[in-house]
Amino acid sequence: MTATNIIDGKAFAEGLRKDIAGHVARLKAEHRLVPGLSVVLVGDDPASHVYVRNKGKATLEAGMKSEEFRLPASATQAEVLARVEALNNDPTVHGILVQLPLPKQVDSAAIINAIDPDKDVDGFHVVNVGRLNTGQPSMVPCTPLGCLLMLKHHLGNLAGKRAVVVGRSNIVGKPMAALLLGESCTVTIAHSRTADLPGEVRRADIVIAAVGKAEMVRGDWIKPGATVIDVGINRIERDGKAKLVGDVAFDEAVKVAGLITPVPGGVGPMTIACLLRNTVTAACRIKGIPDPQ
Ligand code: NDP
């Protein structure tokens, strides 16, 4: 990839992780604080195992404490709740993440809302959703936070920009819209019932695509010079080969956009980096130390 308008999320995430490792080293030296992240994994979904392994590895590489708790696919709601409760009460744990999806017999919302909101590094607890939407310090969901950091790095002040967020999920679309509103963008949230999606996208200076439909956003929907952040991860087969593509038709959009994230190598690497960032933030808040980030 050589075009100069492509945002290199991998390099940006590596830089962020290096900065975080520096903050962690200083927190250890100056405050004897080792931020700790605990991940709870229930069942044997292979993709979840890969995610959890990558999160643990990145946590250790940043110099933090990492713990993983595995429960069988047959675990009851009470067993998962007991594990969360134990982590809430453990002073060496600053971040708790329950890997989703959970098995059918476990109520995900009840588990997420049982996490101490101050340790909820995924930012999914209703208290954090409320804090984010009322402009209070909150834990912010990692993927939208990663998108925002990239946008601010490349565009600076976002105030007054027209943003369209395609997708209204609780983990990406809605928090992304809240973050952009917090930056004083004029925000439109589009979804499967939006009447004229191409028209909505064409008006936007910033397009966030978080849909889960391969290459749905076409190049001729993009306003020339707009910034396009593609959150989608879709596995497709093309020319007999497995391929990872985003929600944006990259080859078309890259010719029109001012800036664009590729898939892979755009938003994806930022998600884990932001999980580490959130763990440092949680540790500092819990200990009453200024957050260096
Ligand atoms: P969800 O399935 O929860 O939400 C998808 C959203 O897209 C819904 O709001 C849905 O609308 C909307 N949508 C579906 N079809 C259309 C359409 N034809 N036109 C307009 N909107 C539509 O997905 P997530 O938010 O969890 O994830 C979105 C994508 O981002 C996925 O590809 C996922 O893999 C990826 N992802 C990537 C991450 C990363 O680290 N890079 C992290 C998280 C997700 P409605 O509400 O009306 O149904």
Side-chain angles (χ1 to χ4, degrees):
M1 259 177 239
T2 49
T4 52
N5 61 339
I6 298 172
I7 297 177
D8 186 345
K10 197 163 167 255
F12 191 66
E14 273 166 18
L16 188 62
R17 283 169 62 169
K18 225 168 128 193
D19 291 348
I20 292 166
H23 298 320
V24 170
R26 274 190 297 281
L27 288 172
K28 273 186 199 169
E30 291 168 19
H31 300 280
R32 302 212 330 223
L33 170 60
V34 182
L37 173 66
S38 294
V39 178
V40 179
L41 176 58
V42 187
D44 21 61
D45 175 51
S48 294
H49 277 259
V50 173
Y51 295 143
V52 168
R53 198 166 49 240
N54 290 343
K55 286 168 185 172
K57 194 166 160 266
T59 309
L60 291 173
E61 277 170 10
M64 298 194 247
K65 184 183 145 212
S66 164
E67 276 182 324
E68 198 182 303
F69 295 92
R70 292 178 183 216
L71 282 87
S74 59
T76 63
Q77 168 120 347
E79 284 166 339
V80 184
L81 278 175
R83 172 42 59 202
V84 167
E85 204 47 46
L87 295 173
N88 282 344
N89 294 326
D90 182 341
T92 69
V93 174
H94 309 101
I96 302 170
L97 184 152
V98 178
Q99 184 66 42
L100 300 175
L102 290 169
K104 280 192 297 289
Q105 74 277 13
V106 182
D107 176 352
S108 303
I111 299 297
I112 299 301
N113 290 326
I115 297 172
D116 177 343
D118 294 335
K119 296 187 177 186
D120 166 39
V121 281
D122 254 343
F124 296 160
H125 193 296
V126 283
V127 165
N128 281 316
V129 176
R131 286 175 179 161
L132 177 62
N133 280 279
T134 51
Q136 299 176 60
S138 65
M139 298 310 303
V140 177
C142 301
T143 301
L145 177 59
C147 296
L148 184 73
L149 293 178
M150 287 198 288
L151 283 170
K152 287 176 76 167
H153 176 78
H154 287 278
L155 300 180
N157 187 359
L158 306 180
K161 296 202 182 292
R162 268 180 198 273
V164 66
V165 181
V166 190
R168 56 173 162 180
S169 72
N170 290 334
I171 63 164
V172 189
K174 284 181 197 155
M176 187 73 244
L179 287 171
L180 292 167
L181 194 57
E183 297 296 324
S184 298
C185 290
T186 302
V187 183
T188 299
I189 306 175
H191 45 77
S192 67
R193 310 288 291 274
T194 294
D196 175 18
L197 186 59
E200 297 294 346
V201 174
R202 272 187 202 112
R203 274 190 287 279
D205 306 308
I206 295 171
V207 180
I208 312 280
V211 184
K213 295 225 178 318
E215 300 175 335
M216 188 190 79
V217 176
R218 309 310 306 187
D220 64 0
W221 299 13
I222 306 295
K223 179 163 99 172
T227 301
V228 179
I229 305 288
D230 191 351
V231 181
I233 302 175
N234 308 287
R235 282 170 182 82
I236 62 159
E237 207 181 291
R238 182 165 291 156
D239 305 328
K241 282 189 201 145
K243 198 171 181 248
L244 219 54
V245 298
D247 291 340
V248 177
F250 182 85
D251 292 344
E252 296 172 12
V254 72
K255 296 180 185 138
V256 193
L259 287 167
I260 184 167
T261 58
V263 176
V267 174
M270 286 299 288
T271 298
I272 286 191
C274 287
L275 175 65
L276 306 179
R277 192 182 194 272
N278 278 352
T279 305
V280 170
T281 297
C284 290
R285 285 188 189 155
I286 289 167
K287 293 287 174 193
I289 296 167
D291 184 355
Q293 303 170 110

